[in-house]
Amino acid sequence: MSGSPSIFAPAGVGAGQIASLGWLLTIIAAAVVVIVGGLLIAALARPRRDRSHEVMRGTEPASATRWIIVGGLVVPACVLVGTFVATVLTGRAVAAPPTPPVATIEVTAHRWWWEIRYRGATADQSVLTANEIHVPVGGAVRIDLASEDVIHSFWVPQLAAKTDLIPGQTNTMWIEARTAGVYRGECAEYCGLQHAQMNFVVVAESPAAFAAWLAHQREPSVAPTDSLALEGRAGFAGHQCAACHAIEGTTSLGRIGPDLTHLASRRMIGAGLLENTPANLERWVVDAPSFKPGVGMPAEPIPLAGRPAVIAYLESLR
Amino acid sequence: MATVVADIAERDAPVERLARIWGTPPGLLGTLTSVDHKTIGIRYLVTAFAFLLLGGLEAGAMRAQLTHGDTHWLSPEAYNQFFTMHGVTMLFLYASPVLSGFSNYLWPLMIGARDMAYPRVNALSYWTYLLAGLLIYASVLVGQSPDGGWFAYVPMTGAAYSPGRNIDFYTVGLTFLGFSTTVGAVNFIGTFFCMKAPGMSVNRLPVILWGTLSSSIAAVVFVPALTVACVLLYLDRHVHTHFFDAATGGQPMLWQHLFWIFGHPWVYIVVLPAIGIASDIIPTFCRRPLAGYTFVTLSTIATIMLGSGVWVHHMFATGLPQMSTSFFSAASMTISLTSGVSVFAWLATIWYGRPQFTVPFLFMCGFIILFVIGGVNGVMTASVPFDQQLHDSYFVVAHLHYVLLGMNLFPVMGAFYYWIPKMTGRMLSERIGRWVFWLMFIGANLTFFPMHITGMLGMPRRIYTYASGLGWDTSNLVITIGAATFAAAVLLFLIDVVRSRFVGPLAGANPWDAPTLEWSVSSPPPPYNFAVIPTVRSPYPLWESRLGERPASVLDAGPALDDGRETIGTDALDGIPVAVLQMPEDSPWPLLLAIALAWVSLALVFAAWSWALIGVGLTAASMIGWLAPAAMRPVRAESAGSDERVPTTRGPL
């Protein structure tokens, strides 16, 4: 992921259609500003025989009324009708995906992270992960949006327009990536203390790579082989980690925080906050609130002695 | 009508007597009991400007944080309180009250009256505004300022996710402030329809009256939506009702509808009087009447009517069906037609006029440019799919600041340069004023134009920090430089105001050779405004002889009405005299009632029910005190001179 999550660098079908509308609107807007600004300058600077301070005599020229009606009503009305038609056409185009969705993803917003579930045919076909969404290039993906607490908004500027996640209702949108890449996603609706640090990534990859990723994510975690990581697994379950976090294939079943079954395969930790490197993971585990004040994860959840083992275990969760 | 004027004997205006009748006694008591609209207007202006400075400091703190990525100078708690208080301050405590200040000060002077329709209500409106502002800022003292944004969306602001007092200051403070707004609006409406000088029909009114009337009617209609929302949220938080709680059958979207049904018209409430100000200042410096007066006034009214039906464009991302969003999209775009009419009326006035490049006129030119930019980027966000990209990004921050600075602050700055000489009797400096204008114009564009781009580059609003390397760094640096430039302009303006109080050249009655009635009286005006009630025959009474209009207005003869505080009441449309109005004396009750209401509000913030109950008792006592003596006071039947035919009524309040 590099550069800006610009709405004018679209990599998705919906964002692409909106970008075209956006260019049209931007050009019209710029033209209006230039024309009216030009008229203002012309009106101020036009040659006058008499520039005196005297009050001007005479009645209002009929052409003044013409200017007001034509310039203020008729011309803008024509432009607006065109704008509105473009709006409705684009709105219809982005309302539904061009082809039936190839996958459905349930996104549940929490303060301040994203729970991601790929619905499977059966319960054990489902995939639960957090803050990272994978989608196949060239296939539409349906996204069901719900919130566990307050209102959030799901926004991947380069792929599709944003939709809010509102408690008590499920909103639906779709994305279809055109080009492979890693795209930044953000919470766009102010949701409290850490609204700024509620980001995620969307990985658009070839359908084959996507299928492989999904198959791997369906698997439970693999028990580590080295002794330090094994000690860490016991430590994870024994300390307070398991109260909030689940790791499939173990006895850790917490549901308050993100599922960590394949933590090491993710690109970022802390909802888009830090790159997922062993050093960052350790810093995060030691003192998450210093990076993200208000986060649910407490500081020092693991005594110093047990820490290297737990980090080694988490690093094994590929 | 003709007979009334004929009956009015030309006679020496007993100005000393009038000054004694209308003057406010010196000293603290006089200060606290005055109901003079000029005093109240200036208080509004000073208080609103103080809040503008506070809101500006909050903005400065945010800009310091956002200058570079990965800055953590402000904690997220502090930043979220800063941006919330910035919004609340600018929208509620500056933008609307500053216009109330101008309207309060100017209206009676512009329409040839001696005071507003309800002078004591006017004082009440100011005191409740001041105390509501202080109440909201008292949250700073306990370190729990509102932190839910000025829109305070539930459920984030419910008890579960905002357990502190922060949101209580918001709900109670705004309900209290709504009281001030509403009674103030009623006063404007009453004044508009009853207090115009004889002959001042509605087609002869300065445009600021139309702007403030439209705003006032909207305030009376729409502030209750905010009040209801705040009361419901307060009940949810303190009495465990479930209006907004989805888990128990409540509806979070109810808040958004209620808030924006109020919130969108509020934007027009805080710009229409300012747009009216522009329509009044531009003709003075183009040396000709406003082109298309009727178009401009009708578009003012059309704006507020259309503006009442567009609130859903704040909710395009909430998952509403396309059919509904399209409707609100079309309605929102239509508003640009009414704006277009006004813009071309100003352009035509300039084109056919002789522009004089004074400081107030420079601000009007800057206003037109910012108005157009704030209009077209508004059309961009009115387009549903594009808005679903732009919504809650910095693009919207750019849009709303172009609207509010362009359509409120720039006209207000021009209005300060234009009318401060009337208020103080001394001119501001043209030389300093030019610096203020250019720094402000460049600063505003440098601050807010790049926000369009940061928004399009995907930067969301209301984030306390951001990661470097997302392409947002350069524009944010430019924005902060722009904000500093803007702050320099404000500072320079303050220096100019203070300087002019001591060394500004004397203004005289009409320093700009302006056409409207307020310029016919001395600067500053006497407490009674007009020695005789004028009779008005055109929209530009002071230019009539030069415009060649007949018949002429009569400004130096008319009823003196010096048997007490009296002014003329006329009918709603044509300015036909119908009554001599007995206006109330200075009174302590508005202040006492405001204090009692503040008591109730403060007790409610801390959910101290018994204290609130005592406050309710004090409120009732103040209202009884206010009303009882007036009911016992005898109605004065006789009035001045020979105009006995005019029926006499008492001012209703």
Side-chain angles (χ1 to χ4, degrees):
Chain A
M1 184 166 54
S2 63
S4 298
S6 166
I7 64 171
F8 284 124
V13 174
Q17 284 162 329
I18 297 177
S20 308
L21 174 70
W23 277 119
L24 173 73
L25 291 169
T26 307
I27 290 165
I28 291 174
V32 171
V33 173
V34 168
I35 291 168
V36 178
L39 285 174
L40 174 64
I41 291 169
L44 290 171
R46 80 186 180 97
R48 289 175 170 85
R49 263 178 307 179
D50 185 355
R51 286 195 154 273
S52 78
H53 191 68
E54 263 317 292
V55 175
M56 298 177 69
R57 288 182 150 275
T59 51
E60 188 169 309
S63 49
T65 313
R66 236 178 0 253
W67 266 107
I68 295 168
I69 292 173
V70 174
L73 276 177
V74 178
V75 175
C78 296
V79 175
L80 286 176
V81 168
T83 307
F84 185 66
V85 169
T87 293
V88 172
L89 291 179
T90 308
R92 281 175 53 169
V94 300
T99 51
V102 297
T104 298
I105 306 173
E106 294 170 6
V107 175
T108 307
H110 299 259
R111 295 187 313 160
W112 295 275
W113 60 281
W114 306 85
E115 183 183 321
I116 316 290
R117 181 189 295 272
Y118 286 75
R119 207 181 289 160
T122 59
D124 58 341
Q125 295 275 295
S126 289
V127 165
L128 192 61
T129 179
N131 303 325
E132 182 169 313
I133 295 174
H134 285 241
V135 296
V137 170
V141 175
R142 175 189 157 116
I143 301 182
D144 289 344
L145 301 164
S147 170
E148 189 63 26
D149 38 51
V150 304
I151 298 175
H152 304 270
S153 195
F154 180 95
W155 189 27
V156 191
Q158 289 175 270
L159 294 181
K162 65 182 70 63
T163 305
D164 292 351
L165 304 90
I166 301 169
Q169 72 184 63
T170 301
N171 283 337
T172 296
M173 61 177 283
W174 61 276
I175 53 180
E176 179 177 335
R178 280 190 310 213
T179 13
V182 180
Y183 304 106
R184 181 183 165 89
E186 299 163 341
C187 175
E189 183 61 84
Y190 176 60
C191 55
L193 202 60
Q194 284 298 343
H195 167 55
Q197 307 293 9
M198 187 171 165
N199 304 307
F200 58 101
V201 291
V202 176
V203 180
E205 54 201 352
S206 68
F210 171 70
W213 176 85
L214 197 62
H216 177 68
Q217 296 284 318
R218 279 196 190 112
E219 300 299 319
S221 66
V222 178
T225 47
D226 73 291
S227 59
L228 186 67
L230 268 172
E231 184 193 329
R233 185 166 77 152
F236 185 91
H239 297 297
Q240 41 185 321
C241 313
C244 298
H245 296 287
I247 297 176
E248 286 290 317
T250 73
T251 55
S252 300
L253 298 168
R255 279 279 169 258
I256 294 170
D259 183 287
L260 302 181
T261 305
H262 296 285
L263 172 67
S265 73
R266 295 185 206 151
R267 284 167 172 73
M268 307 287 280
I269 46 179
L273 185 57
L274 298 169
E275 259 186 77
N276 192 0
T277 63
N280 278 343
L281 185 62
E282 178 161 9
R283 288 160 70 203
W284 176 258
V285 169
V286 170
D287 192 3
S290 76
F291 297 97
K292 194 166 172 180
V295 69
M297 183 139 143
E300 305 278 345
I302 308 164
L304 187 61
R307 203 176 289 151
V310 171
I311 301 295
Y313 172 58
L314 292 175
E315 285 299 323
S316 79
L317 297 172
R318 302 248 137 240
Chain B
M1 178 69 221
T3 46
V4 172
V5 173
D7 281 347
I8 297 166
E10 286 200 29
R11 58 179 193 175
D12 292 332
V15 289
E16 290 81 12
R17 186 173 153 76
L18 279 170
R20 202 176 60 247
I21 291 170
W22 287 90
T24 291
L28 187 63
L29 193 66
T31 305
L32 297 179
T33 59
S34 174
V35 297
D36 185 332
H37 72 96
K38 299 182 285 301
T39 308
I40 293 169
I42 289 172
R43 283 176 186 173
Y44 258 110
L45 292 172
V46 171
T47 312
F49 204 85
F51 280 120
L52 175 76
L53 296 178
L54 277 174
L57 290 175
E58 287 150 5
M62 290 189 280
R63 282 323 311 171
Q65 172 95 339
L66 295 178
T67 310
H68 301 289
D70 299 314
T71 307
H72 295 86
W73 174 64
L74 288 176
S75 69
E77 289 96 334
Y79 186 90
N80 292 347
Q81 294 187 15
F82 271 125
F83 88 71
T84 302
M85 288 299 279
H86 172 72
V88 168
T89 304
M90 292 307 200
L91 280 155
F92 292 115
L93 301 176
Y94 156 73
S96 167
V98 80
L99 301 175
S100 296
F102 279 113
S103 291
N104 257 316
Y105 188 91
L106 293 170
W107 270 36
L109 292 167
M110 285 176 156
I111 63 176
R114 283 182 176 154
D115 208 328
M116 299 286 288
Y118 314 118
R120 290 181 296 178
V121 169
N122 208 12
L124 174 68
S125 173
Y126 171 73
W127 292 121
T128 45
Y129 155 54
L130 175 68
L131 291 174
L134 292 177
L135 177 80
I136 292 168
Y137 266 89
S139 63
V140 177
L141 301 177
V142 293
Q144 298 188 32
S145 295
D147 57 357
W150 86 287
F151 47 91
Y153 277 4
V154 295
M156 185 184 59
T157 49
Y161 303 107
S162 296
R165 295 283 169 216
N166 315 57
I167 302 302
D168 297 317
F169 279 105
Y170 174 92
T171 55
V172 177
L174 292 190
T175 304
F176 184 26
L177 184 66
F179 191 83
S180 161
T181 311
T182 305
V183 297
V186 167
N187 196 14
F188 286 123
I189 296 168
T191 305
F192 185 98
F193 288 116
C194 304
M195 305 295 286
K196 302 179 293 292
M200 191 152 221
S201 48
V202 289
N203 56 343
R204 293 171 182 164
L205 290 170
V207 185
I208 185 180
L209 273 97
W210 286 106
T212 310
L213 176 77
S214 307
S215 291
S216 299
I217 292 172
V220 170
V221 175
F222 295 113
V223 168
L226 176 68
T227 306
V228 166
C230 285
V231 169
L232 297 187
L233 180 54
Y234 187 86
L235 293 175
D236 266 14
R237 289 173 59 83
H238 291 285
V239 233
H240 311 296
T241 53
H242 302 278
F243 292 106
F244 302 123
D245 181 11
T248 50
Q251 178 50 276
M253 294 303 289
L254 172 63
W255 171 275
Q256 295 197 17
H257 282 287
L258 283 173
F259 185 83
W260 289 117
I261 283 173
F262 152 80
H264 198 81
W266 187 255
V267 176
Y268 296 107
I269 289 171
V270 304
V271 302
L272 286 178
I275 294 172
I277 283 172
S279 296
D280 291 332
I281 293 181
I282 288 171
T284 297
F285 297 109
C286 290
R287 313 308 297 153
R288 55 157 295 125
L290 179 68
Y293 174 93
T294 314
F295 286 102
V296 172
T297 51
L298 287 178
S299 81
T300 303
I301 296 163
T303 300
I304 201 73
M305 291 170 78
L306 289 169
S308 309
V310 302
W311 77 91
V312 169
H313 72 210
H314 296 267
M315 300 159 63
F316 281 165
T318 58
L320 291 166
Q322 204 203 346
M323 180 57 89
S324 340
T325 55
S326 299
F327 174 82
F328 283 95
S329 173
S332 307
M333 288 180 183
T334 312
I335 292 192
S336 50
L337 295 181
T338 64
S339 310
V341 166
S342 297
V343 167
F344 275 84
W346 300 322
L347 289 179
T349 309
I350 297 170
W351 181 274
Y352 293 107
R354 292 174 184 146
Q356 313 284 316
F357 290 90
T358 59
V359 174
F361 186 69
L362 288 177
F363 274 103
M364 295 309 123
C365 296
F367 151 76
I368 293 174
I369 298 281
L370 300 183
F371 183 98
V372 172
I373 297 176
V376 296
N377 61 22
V379 171
M380 292 167 79
T381 57
S383 172
V384 182
F386 200 42
D387 180 68
Q388 287 167 341
Q389 279 286 27
L390 300 175
H391 182 69
D392 276 333
S393 80
Y394 258 83
F395 188 95
V396 176
V397 185
H399 164 61
L400 76 94
H401 283 91
Y402 266 98
V403 169
L404 292 171
L405 268 87
M407 305 184 201
N408 179 296
L409 188 66
F410 269 70
V412 161
M413 289 300 301
F416 275 126
Y417 272 90
Y418 188 63
W419 280 301
I420 276 184
K422 176 55 59 185
M423 298 174 188
T424 66
R426 288 182 184 273
M427 305 295 287
L428 296 175
S429 161
E430 278 286 310
R431 199 163 58 88
I432 300 177
R434 274 167 210 282
W435 277 96
V436 172
F437 168 75
W438 284 109
L439 284 175
M440 203 168 258
F441 186 71
I442 292 166
N445 285 295
L446 216 50
T447 307
F448 298 111
F449 198 82
M451 287 187 186
H452 291 113
I453 294 161
T454 26
M456 287 169 164
L457 294 179
M459 182 168 171
R461 300 172 72 177
R462 301 160 186 143
I463 54 173
Y464 72 97
T465 189
Y466 58 92
S468 295
L470 291 168
W472 306 338
D473 305 73
T474 312
S475 46
N476 271 293
L477 180 63
V478 173
I479 291 167
T480 303
I481 294 169
T485 313
F486 195 91
V490 175
L491 194 65
L492 201 56
F493 170 68
L494 283 176
I495 292 170
D496 193 15
V497 170
V498 173
R499 199 198 60 93
S500 99
R501 289 294 289 138
F502 300 103
V503 298
L506 292 179
N510 193 358
W512 310 113
D513 187 20
T516 40
L517 274 187
E518 77 271 25
W519 301 105
S520 69
V521 298
S522 62
S523 306
Y528 48 86
N529 291 358
F530 297 94
V532 293
I533 303 295
T535 301
V536 179
R537 297 282 185 218
S538 83
Y540 300 100
L542 307 190
W543 281 0
E544 280 165 0
S545 57
R546 287 169 283 174
L547 291 172
E549 298 216 4
R550 292 284 180 277
S553 302
V554 183
L555 306 184
D556 51 359
L561 302 184
D562 56 358
D563 285 346
R565 290 195 176 180
E566 294 174 333
T567 192
I568 278 202
T570 51
D571 78 337
L573 291 181
D574 298 322
I576 297 167
V578 292
V580 172
L581 302 172
Q582 309 282 335
M583 304 305 287
E585 301 296 320
D586 291 353
S587 164
W589 293 112
L591 176 59
L592 293 174
L593 179 54
I595 291 172
L597 287 167
W599 178 309
V600 177
S601 304
L602 193 61
L604 288 177
V605 168
F606 291 95
W609 309 119
S610 39
W611 286 95
L613 212 58
I614 297 172
V616 171
L618 291 174
T619 304
S622 310
M623 290 174 77
I624 291 166
W626 180 322
L627 295 170
M632 286 185 277
R633 204 169 52 202
V635 177
R636 244 193 299 251
E638 80 286 4
S639 51
S642 53
D643 50 350
E644 291 127 340
R645 220 166 303 133
V646 181
T648 298
T649 61
R650 238 173 340 109
L653 276 172

